[in-house]
Amino acid sequence: MTLMQGRQMSRSSQVIQPQSRRQFRIQGQVQGVGFRPFVFRLACDLGLSGFVRNEPQGVLVQVQGDLASVQRFTVCIKEDRPTLASYDSLTFQDMAPREELSGQPFEILASVQRHRSRQKTNKTVTVDTAICPDCLAEMRDPDNKRYRYGLINCTNCGPRFSIITDVPYDRPNTSMANFRMCLPCMQEYTNPRDRRFHAQPTACHDCGPQVSLVDPQGQPIEGDPYLKAAAMLAAGRIVAIKGIGGFHLAVRADDAQAVKRLRTLKHREHKPFALLCRDLDVASDLVHLSDHAKIQLQSNTRPIMLAMAKQADQFPGVNPGTDRLGVMLPYTPIQHLIFDACEQLDCQRVDVLVMTSANISNEPLIHKNTDALEHMAGICDAILWHDREIVRSVDDSVLMSMQIEEREEVILPMRRARGFVPATLPLPTSVATPGLCVGGELKNTVALVRDNKVILSHHIGDLTHTKSYHYFQQVIEDLCKLHDIKPQWIAHDLHPVYMSSQYARTLASRWDVRLLAIQHHHAHAAAVLAEHKITEPALALVCDGVGMGEDDSSWGGELILSNVADFYRMGHLKPLMLPGGDSAAKDTRRCALAWLAQLPGVDIPNSDIFSRLIPDPASRMMLANMLTRNVNVNASSSAGRYFDAAAAILGVCEHNHFEAQAPMALEALARTNRRELPSASMYRIRHGVLDMTALLECLILDDTDTAYGADLFHQQLARGLAELAITQAMQSKIDVVALSGGVFCNTLLTQRVTALLRRANLHVYVHQQVPANDGGLAYGQAAVASARIGGPV
Ligand SMILES: [Zn+2]
Ligand SMILES: [Zn+2]
């Protein structure tokens, strides 16, 4: 069936030239992104005949015409492409020209549907994308029919992953299914020369979902929703705003009372808030942005960018205890319309809003209107929403700009979600069968493996929370269905008690498939190696909070010799004997006591520092008992716990209210140090064990000022870790060192370790595609499991 025929533009009929025919197969993100109209326009403009068709595995194109035009077409299709398209492969072959095709119009043929094909299907689902400049201009044009339409989109922009219910990506398989297009929208939708040709969520004021402002009980608030919402925000009120992947809570950032009220209502007292800035100029006034970071911020993924604040405490209460701010630019039409409305209002102009996920701490992001009413009623003063359903919640992605050396910056993913998911990631080795990797416990993500590619899920969260655990199960089911994958194996963390590991066992017996347990730090190391396609053995420094080691103790300050399939532990930080085990991850003072217990000849229970750290006599007695009798203590070589210990000893932070609060505060403080650091080493390495006792002796001296102490801690730990790696590198003759684990989100430590390793002529690799923290773990599991299973695809 012919969907559309091009106008006859047969230049070749006037001057008879030799005909050439060429067939192209393109795989990758080429469906639902305006690829066929792009090919259609290109072929018509060059006067070529032939066709383009979506196939289960990608797109098939045939063109016929004079040789020069076919060659020109080849160059253009390789070098040019629609905004959202990306190629995994493009191949072509020449074929014998067919006389009957000569001079015929170019055609867009109907798709070959999945159910009609027994072949492997292309299940590429496209990412959600920020509003494009064309739509933004239309939305601001009073003469355009979509003037101030809050759900404007086109083939180049708008929601995808968050509204799709099934593949193929067609309107009936999205949450736009119930909205019937009006005639003008339908004309655009069916015109290959229109920007909205086959743009599935296309809509307008007349036929599409409507934006409205309601009070917390769901009662409509009269008037223009954007102007009303802007007026409320300007007055310091909290407005819940429906975004692409869920609701946000917004409040003006420069109103300290309003920010404080939001913290109280949301029960989020400590964790930094992200900021939505009107435009790049506003963001640039707040934080130091490199050219690279600016490009990322303005890209159509529109992540939150963590960057160094230009001014300390510019917005009180927004980023307590850290010197970074997370900034992002508007990405939905509604966000732009709010800033436009703020500008229109006579009252004070608002150009920076706190924009925080609307969820109850650590639970999944709220994305349904009914849930927003139920859970946000007591937190916000109004809800700006619409009636286009969000099918799955997708958080904002978070990147961090990290200066590694003076002229070298990396953009480190911290949370990979909206705009990045479900784009695939590569694997360095081939694997014959599809599989599922269930990730870790905190900052959980899951991954599907197929055709040597990994689909790493969006951020799911902390699985110890019931709702997050249910969401985790839903995501696995959802992604398997959406991508039509039946896993033949399941990889999980070595820790048997992790919720993810338990669920992996349940699924494996239900599906009767193979289980692979993968050591936590090996998965971290493999993630960096896989990202950089390194299959040879490398050294890896993996530093994080906790992960179960092969000896059943907690690891987290590790040097391993690793390839993607196997690893060997070469060295580690001297284990801390943590009183109360896991509770030490929250109470940094327990980490401090464990470190102090390493000091030779110190009677910890009767020491001054013990009384200072634990003023309450009963708690002191309990902890002293644990330490002296060695009961209820867990050995941990975690670098994260050393950070906690140092933070407690220096009086910086006694309690981690959220993960890595103390290390982040310690890093920010270290950057304020102006005293010169010593050249001496304050650590010892014996048989691969890094002992930091000498550093501790210095930190507890009375005259150690906190900024100096924090800086000294970073310096000595970096030197100790680097020396551990350099010594092994020389012995094993390996010159590649990978850095992974959440601790390497610490810029100061990463800078110093990298500089020392490079000075020893070692090549250093850090994460650039998946988070160094446990958000990247499932990808590492995918790399290890695939290498172990192997086999051709
Ligand atoms: Zn657009
Ligand atoms: Zn319409």
Side-chain angles (χ1 to χ4, degrees):
M1 185 184 80
T2 299
L3 278 187
M4 185 56 62
Q5 295 190 338
R7 283 184 208 96
Q8 198 144 349
M9 294 183 68
S10 179
R11 289 180 298 186
S12 56
S13 61
Q14 288 153 20
V15 181
I16 303 298
Q17 288 184 7
Q19 290 277 299
S20 168
R21 181 164 159 240
R22 196 166 271 181
Q23 173 169 286
F24 299 79
R25 286 188 186 278
I26 302 120
Q27 293 189 8
Q29 193 165 287
V30 286
Q31 295 187 7
V33 291
F35 189 71
R36 288 177 305 160
F38 157 75
V39 171
F40 176 88
R41 287 190 292 268
L42 190 60
C44 291
D45 291 349
L46 289 165
L48 296 168
S49 49
F51 67 87
V52 55
R53 183 170 72 200
N54 277 350
E55 301 240 303
Q57 286 176 286
V59 170
L60 180 76
V61 185
Q62 276 190 19
V63 290
Q64 179 168 321
D66 64 82
L67 183 61
S69 297
V70 170
Q71 283 172 338
R72 180 78 204 130
F73 179 87
T74 310
V75 171
C76 289
I77 200 173
K78 276 185 184 170
E79 292 180 356
D80 211 9
R81 70 198 65 170
T83 316
L84 299 184
S86 64
Y87 301 164
D88 289 338
S89 69
L90 183 152
T91 56
F92 63 86
Q93 62 181 116
D94 286 319
M95 308 172 95
R98 283 165 49 187
E99 205 173 321
E100 68 273 21
L101 282 180
S102 183
Q104 291 301 307
F106 191 86
E107 296 172 312
I108 294 178
L109 300 182
S111 308
V112 174
Q113 293 289 326
R114 174 159 93 176
H115 63 270
R116 285 169 46 197
S117 169
R118 291 192 174 275
Q119 296 177 54
K120 286 194 285 184
T121 52
N122 179 330
K123 297 98 184 173
T124 308
V125 179
T126 316
V127 300
D128 299 307
T129 305
I131 182 172
C132 72
D134 291 334
C135 285
L136 193 56
E138 285 179 357
M139 191 185 77
R140 286 178 171 155
D141 174 6
D143 295 330
N144 191 284
K145 77 164 182 163
R146 293 187 180 85
Y147 176 56
R148 295 184 88 233
Y149 182 50
L151 295 154
I152 187 171
N153 65 79
C154 72
T155 317
N156 300 325
C157 74
R160 298 282 189 283
F161 180 56
S162 61
I163 59 163
I164 188 168
T165 52
D166 197 5
V167 285
Y169 176 64
D170 278 328
R171 190 157 167 129
N173 288 339
T174 70
S175 58
M176 287 297 291
N178 294 332
F179 295 94
R180 212 173 142 184
M181 264 182 248
C182 64
L183 192 61
C185 281
M186 181 58 88
Q187 281 165 346
E188 294 167 334
Y189 182 84
T190 50
N191 177 5
R193 294 214 167 245
D194 194 280
R195 201 172 88 249
R196 294 195 171 85
F197 177 72
H198 279 212
Q200 306 304 343
T202 196
C204 71
H205 286 292
D206 296 334
C207 66
Q210 302 298 316
V211 176
S212 59
L213 186 71
V214 296
D215 70 14
Q217 282 69 48
Q219 297 305 311
I221 296 175
E222 291 298 311
D224 179 88
Y226 308 109
L227 285 170
K228 281 274 159 121
M232 291 183 80
L233 287 166
R237 314 304 289 172
I238 300 167
V239 180
I241 302 171
K242 193 167 180 178
I244 290 269
F247 282 84
H248 286 107
L249 289 166
V251 79
R252 62 186 296 172
D254 59 355
D255 185 335
Q257 282 307 315
V259 173
K260 194 173 169 196
R261 178 167 166 254
L262 175 61
R263 284 207 178 276
T264 308
L265 292 173
K266 210 191 161 203
H267 302 295
R268 176 163 157 156
E269 304 290 343
H270 305 274
K271 207 171 173 184
F273 283 140
L275 299 175
L276 182 72
C277 303
R278 168 197 297 276
D279 54 33
L280 189 63
D281 288 345
V282 173
S284 302
D285 283 347
L286 300 179
V287 291
H288 293 281
L289 291 171
S290 65
D291 290 345
H292 193 182
K294 285 179 185 170
I295 290 169
Q296 292 285 332
L297 258 183
Q298 293 176 286
S299 72
N300 57 20
T301 53
R302 294 282 160 123
I304 295 171
M305 181 66 70
L306 286 172
M308 297 300 294
K310 285 192 170 169
Q311 197 183 318
D313 222 16
Q314 170 147 12
F315 298 123
V318 165
N319 61 333
T322 153
D323 48 6
R324 283 202 175 82
L325 275 174
V327 295
M328 65 176 156
L329 300 179
Y331 56 88
T332 68
I334 291 175
Q335 291 167 354
H336 282 285
L337 286 166
I338 287 174
F339 279 123
D340 291 354
C342 287
E343 205 169 354
Q344 257 186 41
L345 291 173
D346 286 342
C347 55
Q348 213 176 341
R349 180 174 154 154
V350 177
D351 50 17
V352 186
L353 292 171
V354 162
M355 209 67 173
T356 182
S357 305
N359 62 349
I360 299 153
S361 62
N362 290 307
E363 288 184 357
L365 181 62
I366 290 172
H367 66 286
K368 290 189 185 308
N369 288 7
T370 46
D371 289 343
L373 270 188
E374 187 180 339
H375 299 292
M376 291 296 116
I379 301 179
C380 65
D381 301 306
I383 306 174
L384 186 63
W385 66 11
H386 54 74
D387 51 348
R388 183 180 71 201
E389 193 193 338
I390 297 173
V391 174
R392 60 186 61 73
S393 66
V394 192
D395 286 89
D396 291 318
S397 292
V398 184
L399 305 180
M400 184 167 74
S401 127
M402 184 188 273
Q403 204 73 32
I404 294 234
E405 287 202 40
E406 204 174 328
R407 281 196 193 79
E408 185 184 349
E409 183 202 26
V410 290
I411 302 284
L412 200 68
M414 303 288 283
R415 184 169 74 196
R416 200 175 164 278
R418 178 184 50 76
F420 292 89
V421 175
T424 58
L425 294 163
L427 274 179
T429 62
S430 68
V431 56
T433 47
L436 163 71
C437 309
V438 295
E441 179 116 304
L442 305 173
K443 294 190 164 67
N444 178 275
T445 59
V446 300
L448 292 178
V449 177
R450 186 186 52 200
D451 300 342
N452 289 348
K453 292 201 177 61
V454 181
I455 301 150
L456 182 62
S457 81
H458 42 302
H459 171 82
I460 295 170
D462 177 353
L463 300 190
T464 59
H465 290 260
T466 313
K467 282 196 176 169
S468 299
Y469 180 57
H470 288 149
Y471 185 52
F472 156 85
Q473 298 177 20
Q474 276 171 24
V475 170
I476 291 174
E477 194 184 326
D478 176 35
L479 289 187
C480 286
K481 180 186 155 209
L482 199 58
H483 297 273
D484 195 18
I485 293 178
K486 288 194 175 61
Q488 302 298 304
W489 48 267
I490 303 174
H492 64 90
D493 192 274
L494 183 62
H495 203 310
V497 183
Y498 278 180
M499 298 302 284
S500 53
S501 303
Q502 296 185 44
Y503 192 62
R505 289 196 294 275
T506 307
L507 279 183
S509 68
R510 188 185 301 163
W511 295 344
D512 191 23
V513 298
R514 179 178 171 187
L515 262 182
L516 295 98
I518 291 160
Q519 201 279 325
H520 194 91
H521 303 94
H522 182 212
H524 273 305
V528 191
L529 299 179
E531 265 189 43
H532 295 278
K533 301 192 177 67
I534 299 169
T535 50
E536 297 301 309
L539 289 167
L541 277 169
V542 186
C543 295
D544 64 357
V546 64
M548 197 177 89
E550 291 193 314
D551 59 1
D552 288 355
S553 77
S554 291
W555 292 6
E558 310 301 310
L559 174 73
I560 65 175
L561 175 63
S562 171
N563 62 15
V564 277
D566 292 297
F567 82 103
Y568 180 77
R569 192 187 199 196
M570 308 290 279
H572 55 86
L573 273 165
K574 184 175 177 178
L576 297 169
M577 300 304 288
L578 297 171
D582 282 351
S583 59
K586 295 240 185 298
D587 185 351
T588 62
R589 301 169 308 168
R590 290 175 182 233
C591 304
L593 293 180
W595 196 11
L596 289 162
Q598 289 183 0
L599 286 172
V602 174
D603 179 11
I604 294 295
N606 296 309
S607 66
D608 290 347
I609 191 160
F610 190 29
S611 321
R612 176 168 71 73
L613 284 168
I614 317 282
D616 172 43
S619 306
R620 204 155 62 226
M621 179 78 82
M622 180 190 71
L623 288 165
N625 271 334
M626 287 184 189
L627 284 167
T628 50
R629 293 181 191 167
N630 212 25
V631 286
N632 195 16
V633 292
N634 285 1
S636 171
S637 57
S638 158
R641 296 296 90 82
Y642 271 90
F643 270 91
D644 290 339
I649 287 165
L650 294 168
V652 176
C653 179
E654 285 192 348
H655 198 90
N656 276 315
H657 294 92
F658 57 92
E659 209 187 338
Q661 182 182 0
M664 277 163 61
L666 202 67
E667 185 192 354
L669 187 64
R671 265 194 283 273
T672 65
N673 175 43
R674 298 291 167 260
R675 268 175 66 185
E676 196 179 334
L677 294 170
S679 56
S681 294
M682 299 177 179
Y683 56 86
R684 209 170 51 172
I685 299 172
R686 276 209 302 201
H687 309 300
V689 177
L690 175 57
D691 180 338
M692 307 295 299
T693 313
L695 167 64
L696 176 62
E697 282 169 343
C698 188
L699 293 183
I700 57 176
L701 293 176
D702 289 339
D703 64 346
T704 299
D705 81 72
T706 52
Y708 174 79
D711 201 11
L712 182 71
F713 174 81
H714 280 80
Q715 180 215 26
Q716 294 295 325
L717 183 63
R719 286 171 61 167
L721 290 169
E723 192 174 317
L724 196 62
I726 292 165
T727 311
Q728 291 297 342
M730 290 196 311
Q731 284 175 9
S732 57
K733 302 213 168 5
I734 285 175
D735 63 354
V736 170
V737 185
L739 307 182
S740 188
V743 168
F744 284 108
C745 297
N746 180 310
T747 304
L748 203 52
L749 187 79
T750 309
Q751 281 170 344
R752 286 175 172 167
V753 169
T754 305
L756 291 164
L757 294 175
R758 285 180 175 170
R759 205 179 298 162
N761 293 319
L762 299 174
H763 302 283
V764 181
Y765 290 89
V766 298
H767 285 284
Q768 292 183 9
Q769 295 193 63
V770 305
N773 59 45
D774 283 4
L777 206 64
Y779 175 63
Q781 292 172 347
V784 176
S786 299
R788 286 187 185 164
I789 293 166
V793 175

